[in-house]
Amino acid sequence: MRPGEARLAIDCGNATTTAVVAWPDGRWFPLQFDGGPALPSAVYLSDDGNILTGQRAWQAAAADPRRFIPAPRRSAEQTLTVAGAEVDALDLVVATLRRVSAEAQAAVGVAVEDVRVVVPAGWGPRRRTWLRHAAHRAGLPQPRLVEAPVAVASQLLAEGVQLPVGAFFVVCDVGATAEVSVLRRGPAGFEVLATLADPDAGGSAIDDALTAMLIPAATERTSEQADRWVLTASVQAGKHALAHHPAVTVALPGGPAAVLNAALLDQAARPALDRVAELTVEAIAAAEVDRAHVVGIYCAGGVAHMPLLQKTLTEATSITPVVAADPDLAAVRGAADVGAVAVDGDAVAQEPAVVPPVRRAAAIAMPGFASLALVAQFLLTPEWMGGILGVIPATAMLNWGELAMAAVFALIACLGAGTVIASAIAARNAADRSPPGVQTGTGILAAASMGSAIAGMYAVVGSLYIETAVGPFLRWALLPIAPIIAVAAVMALIAARQWRTPHGGWSQLLSFPTTSVLAAAAGMLCIQYSLTADRWPDMILFIDITGRLGGLLLGAGTIMAIVRQPLLRLILGAPMAVITAALVSPRATGILGVIYAIAVAVWWIRQLWTRILRPHPRPTP
């Protein structure tokens, strides 16, 4: 994420939708909808096909309740029947997300490119893909899906809650529905060990029980759906008002008002909250974790405000739960990395798996084409020396440095392509239970194997084409890339074990400088041309200048691989280019190729050391 770029996190719940906009410098604020931070997820499909959202949908429900959908995300069906017509459920969620997108753009001033969407941990691939499609149709960029318990855990860390590496803990996310998850904090993030959900154990179940208990006579008078939605809205408003008042009156459609107090609310909520406690016990058992090893139970969601929830959890587990600060926004704030900090000096902030940009294709193709050009020239321009026809075979004088550089470029291209593909899969396939680092590590190993296989193929094809022993070809093709393969194997292990995630993602880390590839490849091509071209009298000067120019380019490419700063490149590149230009000769081509292979290996070792093993601390905004 570029400095100053805002990020948008959305928690599209069954009853309400919340969203937070945050910046890297720590600034953040919740989006406001109809004067409040929570946008009702309910929608209303009008006669003309327009979809009303938020409070407007609830207000329109009294006019024609058949067109009112209180929880469009809760339905697992692809289509819903609304007022006798089939409606794609995706369109209903799109309307809510589109409104969130518009509010975010109005608040920030520009379109937000970094979008995170909170999803239940129990959602499978189909529902996650469904939500991604909804975000795309709403005009949002490709979102990063963050599991709700992981988001809550991230926010707990930001609030200063001590969750040491290796600790087991429980997140009870009780909003309109209930989801209880057991998590373990690993070296690189949080792992969901078990998750259980019950749609009838949250706020919606409490609202239904409270309505039936508080006003039993009203249920007879509210047979019409219009009165039912008005009554539900009144009960919800009264329930939220109890947080600030000992008792409130609840308006009833077509009848006198009723009095609601904390005792009645607890009586109505007890069955649902008892079920939440049961889910907690069952989730701990499903995770196969000893209850004595659970360091804490943390509550989030709208129902977390109720003291009865803490009481029931304590009775069931003998663990006193902790309510997250601002539990209504805990998940969405965690997804937005609001106030995220490193827990200890060795910890490195984890970056999301970033989908590599399309422009990386050019950086991958360049070393691939350079490798093919070098190996083709290597095979087609050997110098044949000596030999007696039919008696003694001629000896081929080969540019071994050109073969070494072709193998190096082939490995660079494979590593770039393999890492980009693995990073893209890890970023988009959030439904896969395997960690993204495992996919990236597998991609690095597969790419290193492919690169070494291509280098070996160059050696075998060369020996067959030149009709000589394969040993020298294998030495010059495989030995120069051996240090790079060793470094790549270490990187793959680090990615798979999730010990470190480099800033910007693995695909950015393994992006070798294209300018170095261009300069070095062009230099070696010019050197080989100068050594094998027919030296006609009128071409000698041109051929010699081409060879020295090739040496200059090869030296410049070597420095570009080692040095980053432009000024140092200029200072060190000039003497290095002069040295390599002076070395241009038939016997020194191997040395020139090895020099460049060493420079590439140094680049990879530096990347491993400075970006993973001993990363430099990032400046605090």
Side-chain angles (χ1 to χ4, degrees):
M1 184 173 59
R2 297 184 297 273
E5 181 183 353
R7 51 181 176 259
L8 170 65
I10 306 171
D11 186 358
C12 188
N14 287 313
T16 59
T17 295
T18 55
V20 162
V21 177
W23 284 267
D25 60 4
R27 293 178 297 127
W28 73 279
F29 63 84
L31 293 182
Q32 298 293 308
F33 308 95
D34 303 323
L39 171 68
S41 298
V43 295
Y44 179 88
L45 182 63
S46 59
D47 295 334
D48 57 3
N50 290 328
I51 300 176
L52 305 181
T53 61
Q55 295 296 338
R56 294 180 61 192
W58 278 95
Q59 294 166 2
D64 189 354
R66 300 175 305 156
R67 297 183 172 275
F68 180 69
I69 303 95
R73 200 200 74 169
R74 187 169 180 176
S75 174
E77 302 296 331
Q78 295 297 321
T79 59
L80 297 174
T81 301
V82 179
E86 288 191 350
V87 178
D88 189 350
L90 187 69
D91 293 334
L92 306 179
V93 178
V94 166
T96 299
L97 293 177
R98 187 175 288 126
R99 181 170 177 186
V100 173
S101 176
E103 294 288 347
Q105 184 168 351
V108 177
V110 295
V112 180
E113 298 297 331
D114 186 356
V115 178
R116 294 99 181 267
V117 179
V118 179
V119 296
W123 271 22
R126 184 174 66 89
R127 300 205 71 174
R128 294 178 187 232
T129 302
W130 179 81
L131 189 58
R132 277 199 179 93
H133 289 166
H136 175 72
R137 288 176 55 176
L140 293 169
Q142 178 71 23
R144 170 192 169 196
L145 301 186
V146 184
E147 293 183 336
V150 174
V152 173
S154 300
Q155 184 57 25
L156 291 172
L157 284 182
E159 295 169 3
V161 176
Q162 296 299 317
L163 295 173
V165 174
F168 300 95
F169 59 97
V170 179
V171 172
C172 293
D173 189 357
V174 190
T177 62
E179 182 181 68
V180 180
S181 303
V182 180
L183 293 88
R184 173 185 176 273
R185 189 184 176 203
F190 298 101
E191 178 185 5
V192 179
L193 303 180
T195 184
L196 296 176
D198 191 339
D200 298 322
S204 297
I206 295 175
D207 293 341
D208 294 341
L210 186 61
T211 301
M213 176 184 296
L214 182 65
I215 17 180
T219 57
E220 300 176 2
R221 296 195 302 269
T222 56
S223 57
E224 295 185 3
Q225 285 187 337
D227 290 343
R228 174 175 166 236
W229 296 130
V230 173
L231 177 59
T232 301
S234 299
V235 170
Q236 290 178 351
K239 183 181 69 172
H240 294 310
L242 281 179
H244 308 285
H245 304 281
V248 295
T249 57
V250 177
L252 303 179
V259 178
L260 174 62
N261 56 32
L264 289 176
L265 177 59
D266 287 350
Q267 186 179 354
R270 187 75 197 206
L273 299 186
D274 283 343
R275 176 57 182 153
V276 174
E278 293 176 4
L279 288 175
T280 303
V281 175
E282 294 171 1
I284 294 174
E288 299 182 352
V289 175
D290 190 336
R291 195 178 303 179
H293 296 160
V294 176
V295 299
I297 297 176
Y298 302 93
C299 300
V303 181
H305 293 284
M306 298 184 64
L308 183 59
L309 175 61
Q310 303 172 49
K311 180 181 178 181
T312 55
L313 288 173
T314 303
E315 293 173 350
T317 63
S318 300
I319 301 173
T320 302
V322 177
V323 179
D326 198 0
D328 300 87
L329 297 178
V332 72
R333 289 179 63 186
D337 293 334
V338 172
V341 294
V343 180
D344 51 65
D346 293 331
V348 178
Q350 297 300 311
E351 297 286 341
V354 180
V355 178
V358 176
R359 65 177 180 273
R360 284 291 312 282
I364 298 170
M366 194 60 64
F369 287 132
S371 175
L372 293 176
L374 290 175
V375 76
Q377 188 183 49
F378 168 78
L379 294 176
L380 296 177
T381 59
E383 285 285 323
W384 296 96
M385 304 294 294
I388 300 175
L389 185 61
V391 180
I392 301 175
T395 302
M397 301 296 294
L398 298 171
N399 187 342
W400 296 113
E402 191 168 31
L403 176 60
M405 291 180 60
V408 169
F409 288 146
L411 180 59
I412 292 174
C414 289
L415 284 170
T419 310
V420 165
I421 294 172
S423 300
I425 293 174
R428 295 178 183 275
N429 193 16
D432 194 337
R433 290 295 182 182
S434 62
V438 174
Q439 301 176 12
T440 303
T442 303
I444 295 174
L445 280 181
S449 301
M450 178 62 72
S452 58
I454 292 176
M457 181 189 68
Y458 285 171
V460 173
V461 171
S463 68
L464 294 175
Y465 185 81
I466 304 299
E467 297 182 348
T468 187
V470 73
F473 291 87
L474 289 174
R475 285 195 298 271
W476 284 97
L478 297 181
L479 290 181
I481 65 174
I484 304 174
I485 294 176
V487 176
V490 175
M491 288 183 172
L493 178 62
I494 293 173
R497 302 289 295 181
Q498 302 184 78
W499 292 330
R500 291 285 192 275
T501 299
H503 178 55
W506 288 97
S507 65
Q508 180 179 334
L509 172 74
L510 304 183
S511 178
F512 190 79
T514 306
T515 53
S516 174
V517 174
L518 285 173
M524 183 55 75
L525 290 172
C526 291
I527 290 173
Q528 179 66 357
Y529 167 77
S530 69
L531 297 178
T532 58
D534 294 331
R535 302 179 66 84
W536 298 104
D538 57 338
M539 293 288 292
I540 292 178
L541 180 61
F542 172 77
I543 293 173
D544 289 337
I545 292 176
T546 301
R548 302 306 170 185
L549 176 61
L552 291 173
L553 290 175
L554 183 57
T558 301
I559 293 299
M560 289 178 185
I562 299 176
V563 181
R564 296 175 180 174
Q565 294 80 2
L567 182 59
L568 284 179
R569 283 183 173 180
L570 181 62
I571 294 174
L572 299 178
M576 185 65 184
V578 172
I579 292 173
T580 52
L583 288 176
V584 172
S585 66
R587 295 182 177 274
T589 55
I591 297 176
L592 294 175
V594 169
I595 290 174
Y596 186 76
I598 293 173
V600 175
V602 169
W603 182 90
W604 281 82
I605 295 172
R606 185 188 62 195
Q607 291 291 93
L608 175 63
W609 182 258
T610 62
R611 299 286 297 278
I612 301 179
L613 298 181
R614 289 291 184 271
H616 298 298
R618 302 179 206 169
T620 303

